[in-house]
């Protein structure tokens, strides 16, 4: 009896694993219609702002700015930035080490909040996504599911919300300012940038130019 129960449990786990892999694989070609977090925020706020935009329709500086701000070594790792993790540990865990790949897994497939089950799933799914998706697709999905303000998701909605223009029309400075918002979208305002945001945006713009020059943007650019 116990052996039969164990077999059914193992079969169930294998089925769930296969479904998870198929779900991840499907988003290589299918644009995520929503995410668990967007659904929860939409229910809480009675709607959110979100419009999908393809990466090819954006100025390359938009993607470069976000990568420079959030994960400058994006093209050089397989989902986890070991050096960033080591530095975070040495700093006592007071600084983040999540890569863009990890954030895409969390945003597109999982729920928000700090918990070991969520972190374990994120750790398991990140290399799967890295193996199944090209880097360019990871950046594209990230730009379209990231939160930029309360109820504002994706670079297109953010550009319209803050600057009254489409994401395809963003300037280098505007792209850098939006990238500055990402770590704290509910606390930072791109329409009225503080001195900190202005300084950080200047640094991100310089970083975007640097990763273009040294080849760290090559994996997600044509």
């Amino acid at each position: 009896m116990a052996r039969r129960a164990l077999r059914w449990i193992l079969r169930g786990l294998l089925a769930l694993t296969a479904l998870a892999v198929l779900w991840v694989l499907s988003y290589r070609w299918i644009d995520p219609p929503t995410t668990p977090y967007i659904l929860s925020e939409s229910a809480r706020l009675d709607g959110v702002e979100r419009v999908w935009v393809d990466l090819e329709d954006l100025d390359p500086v938009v993607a470069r700015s976000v990568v420079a701000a959030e994960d400058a070594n994006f093209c050089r790792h397989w989902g986890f930035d070991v050096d960033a993790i080591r530095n975070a540990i040495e700093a006592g865990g007071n600084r983040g080490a999540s890569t863009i790949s990890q954030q895409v897994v969390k945003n597109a497939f999982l729920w928000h909040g700090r918990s070991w089950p969520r972190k374990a799933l994120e750790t398991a799914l990140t290399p799967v996504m890295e193996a199944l998706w090209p880097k360019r697709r990871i950046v594209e999905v990230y730009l379209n599911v990231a939160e930029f303000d309360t109820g504002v998701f994706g670079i297109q909605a953010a550009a319209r919300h803050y600057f009254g223009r489409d994401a395809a029309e963003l300037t280098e400075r505007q792209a850098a300012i939006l990238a500055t918002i990402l770590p704290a979208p509910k606390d930072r305002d791109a329409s009225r940038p503080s001195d900190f945001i202005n300084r950080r945006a200047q640094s991100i713009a310089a970083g975007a130019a640097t990763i273009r020059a040294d080849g760290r943007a090559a994996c997600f650019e044509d």
Side-chain angles (χ1 to χ4, degrees):
M1 194 70 168
R3 187 175 297 176
R4 181 180 299 177
L6 181 59
R7 281 202 301 268
W8 278 109
I9 291 172
L10 290 175
R11 288 173 182 173
L13 289 174
L14 286 173
L16 288 174
T17 299
L19 287 173
V21 171
L22 288 173
W23 188 16
V24 173
L25 179 61
S26 70
Y27 280 2
R28 173 171 178 165
W29 300 283
I30 300 171
D31 299 336
T34 187
T35 72
Y37 181 59
I38 290 175
L39 278 175
S40 67
E41 284 293 274
S42 182
R44 183 176 72 87
L45 300 169
D46 195 25
V48 297
E49 299 174 48
R50 180 175 181 249
V51 180
W52 186 276
V53 61
D54 294 334
L55 190 60
E56 64 187 21
D57 293 329
L58 299 174
D59 189 300
V61 75
V62 175
R64 284 199 298 267
S65 296
V66 169
V67 171
E70 294 289 286
D71 186 6
N73 290 319
F74 174 70
C75 287
R76 296 181 176 177
H77 63 65
W78 48 276
F80 304 99
D81 189 333
V82 176
D83 290 336
I85 293 172
R86 185 183 299 115
N87 292 336
I89 293 172
E90 291 175 353
N94 293 322
R95 55 189 294 183
S98 289
T99 63
I100 283 178
S101 301
Q102 289 174 271
Q103 293 180 58
V104 168
V105 167
K106 179 185 72 175
N107 289 332
F109 302 104
L110 304 175
W111 63 96
H112 282 213
R114 294 179 179 274
S115 70
W116 284 109
R118 187 197 64 75
K119 197 64 180 178
L121 287 171
E122 177 189 304
T123 301
L125 289 176
T126 295
V128 173
M129 186 188 70
E130 280 273 348
L132 297 176
W133 295 11
K135 290 280 192 175
R136 184 175 173 84
R137 178 60 172 172
I138 296 174
V139 172
E140 181 174 58
V141 172
Y142 180 69
L143 284 168
N144 281 283
V145 300
E147 184 180 28
F148 287 88
D149 195 2
T150 301
V152 179
F153 292 90
I155 193 71
Q156 177 76 324
R160 292 176 178 176
H161 177 75
Y162 285 117
F163 305 119
R165 59 174 57 190
D166 287 337
E169 301 170 336
L170 288 170
T171 66
E172 178 181 314
R173 171 173 165 74
Q174 288 170 339
I177 288 176
L178 289 180
T180 305
I181 300 300
L182 287 168
K186 288 182 169 66
D187 300 321
R188 300 179 184 178
D189 189 346
S191 60
R192 294 190 296 275
S194 63
D195 290 342
F196 166 78
I197 289 177
N198 282 322
R199 290 194 302 272
R200 178 64 179 146
Q202 289 179 348
S203 175
I204 288 172
T210 298
I211 65 171
R212 181 187 185 187
D214 66 16
R216 282 182 292 165
C219 70
F220 57 88
E221 296 194 334
D222 291 333

